[in-house]
Amino acid sequence: MLTLTLNRPDKLNAFNPEMHRLLREALERAATQPEVRAVVLTGAGRGFCAGQDLSQRDMSAGAPPIDLSVSLGSNYNPLIRRMRELPKPIVCAVNGVAAGAGANIALACDVVFAARSASFVQSFSRIGLLPDSGGTYFLPRLVGTARAMGLALFGEKLSAEEAERIGLIWKALDDDQLLAEAGAAARLLAAGPTKGYGLIKKALYASAGNLLDAQLDLERDLQREAGYSEDYREGVSAFMQKRKPAFKGK
Ligand code: LHQ
């Protein structure tokens, strides 16, 4: 299991190009190293991530306009795609406020735990932007268009408990339990049938864009792959022998 900690605590872990580079490289390592079978993403200090570092832009009257698509195209979009396509589970431990792209990077993780004191803010509308980093994709799919629209337009803080109640995240936890419980969940996943988990991600994330017919076909194809795995053989043998399976992630 690999723990990745966003680490610019004096800026609530807001993203600059360096942090993008480090996170991208770490996720690349997670993808290629077979011994990494689950990832935990969390933040240092009192915040999880405040999105883009706003102090790095020159907004003075005479400054030239900024093409924001450059940063999305070269940093945020590849990051979200990398996370979703990683064939291993990513557990998010949201330790504090998650705002702007920071909120949507949390939602791009596969399982989201949050400390009760944490919050989620689609802060984009407060600065004249729309949710990015997958926000306009994740939000309506997770909580429906009415709630997605309210969150995006009003940009208000949503508590971790409310986020759990409306289905935005998996679980809100007591602050002092967050890292222990999210870590235990990630360790459990890291000892599981990694190949099968990767296929679960593929199927569930494809589902939003598929009609039933296409999804049934996809399940058939992915289940063929799962059935060829060593872990399937081990899972069935262990069940029949009434013992705990020893999955290898293959
Ligand atoms: C910050 C930030 C920050 C710098 C707090 N930057 N310093 C990407 C690129 C391309 C296109 C556009 O989109 C994007 C994606 C985006 O993410 S756009 C959205 C960017 N993020 C935001 O708009 C969030 C801005 N931050 C806030 O609304 C608040 O700070 C939150 C709600 C996160 C936390 O509020 P508080 O708990 O009240 O903390 P605070 O506001 O006092 O912030 C603490 C410090 O962190 C403060 O610095 P200071 O020196 O006064 O202690 C802030 O200036 C700094 N900070 N966010 N994004």
Side-chain angles (χ1 to χ4, degrees), residues 15 29 54 62 86 98 140 144 148 151 153 161 165 167 170 177 179 192 208 216 248:
F15 270 92
R29 282 200 300 280
L54 298 174
L86 191 79
L151 292 170
L153 288 177
E161 284 183 2
R165 195 186 68 76
W170 175 234
Q177 294 300 306
L179 289 181
L216 288 171
K248 294 192 186 125

Side-chain angles (χ1 to χ4, degrees), residues 8-15 20 46-47 49-57 66-73 75-76 97-105 119-127 129-133 155 157:
R8 298 185 75 220
D10 50 325
K11 297 268 186 191
L12 297 179
N13 305 318
F15 270 92
H20 269 294
R46 77 170 178 92
C49 175
Q52 171 72 17
D53 187 333
L54 298 174
S55 65
Q56 302 216 319
R57 305 260 194 228
I66 295 159
D67 180 354
L68 297 179
S69 77
V70 173
S71 155
L72 292 181
N75 284 327
Y76 290 89
V97 64
N104 296 331
I105 287 164
S119 54
F120 295 82
V121 201
Q122 294 294 322
S123 52
F124 305 87
S125 58
R126 297 196 208 165
I127 55 170
L129 300 180
L130 66 146
D132 59 27
S133 305
K157 271 190 185 173

Side-chain angles (χ1 to χ4, degrees), residues 10 19 25 29 41 54 56 107 120 143 182 215 237 243:
D10 50 325
M19 202 164 96
E25 286 172 3
R29 282 200 300 280
L41 181 65
L54 298 174
Q56 302 216 319
L107 300 183
F120 295 82
V143 298
Q215 192 66 16
S237 305
R243 61 173 173 82

